[in-house]
Amino acid sequence: MSQVQKAVEDLITAVKECEEYHRYQKAREKMFQYPVLKEKADEFRRLNYDFQCNGTNHFEESDRLSQEFAYVLEHPVVWEYLMAENAVCRILRQVNWELLQNLDFELDF
């Protein structure tokens, strides 16, 4: 096994053992108890992701989505799920950022 592969496996283990990931797993399991809410939350997540990737006006689109899905987002189970997911995503972004900042890897094209 290469040194990089071992480090990746150690990183995966560390993420799986962190508080944020445990919180996300609990919230995710709870979401599965509410299939209709899970479906609506997933729709919100997909639409939110799409608009962030296509360069639309973030503030206007975010506000519109928040209003459209307010009845879903106000549910405590959905809110906890989205906040827990966001916490794990922050960890993943930080890992990616640290790698890119500390490696001589050209991304300006």
Side-chain angles (χ1 to χ4, degrees), residues 90-103:
R90 278 194 304 272
I91 291 171
L92 299 177
R93 281 192 307 268
Q94 179 186 1
V95 168
N96 189 48
W97 175 255
E98 292 293 330
L99 286 170
L100 291 173
Q101 291 299 304
N102 291 289
L103 296 173

Side-chain angles (χ1 to χ4, degrees), residues 1-9:
M1 175 182 314
S2 75
Q3 183 179 359
V4 172
Q5 184 60 39
K6 173 70 172 117
V8 168
E9 289 178 9

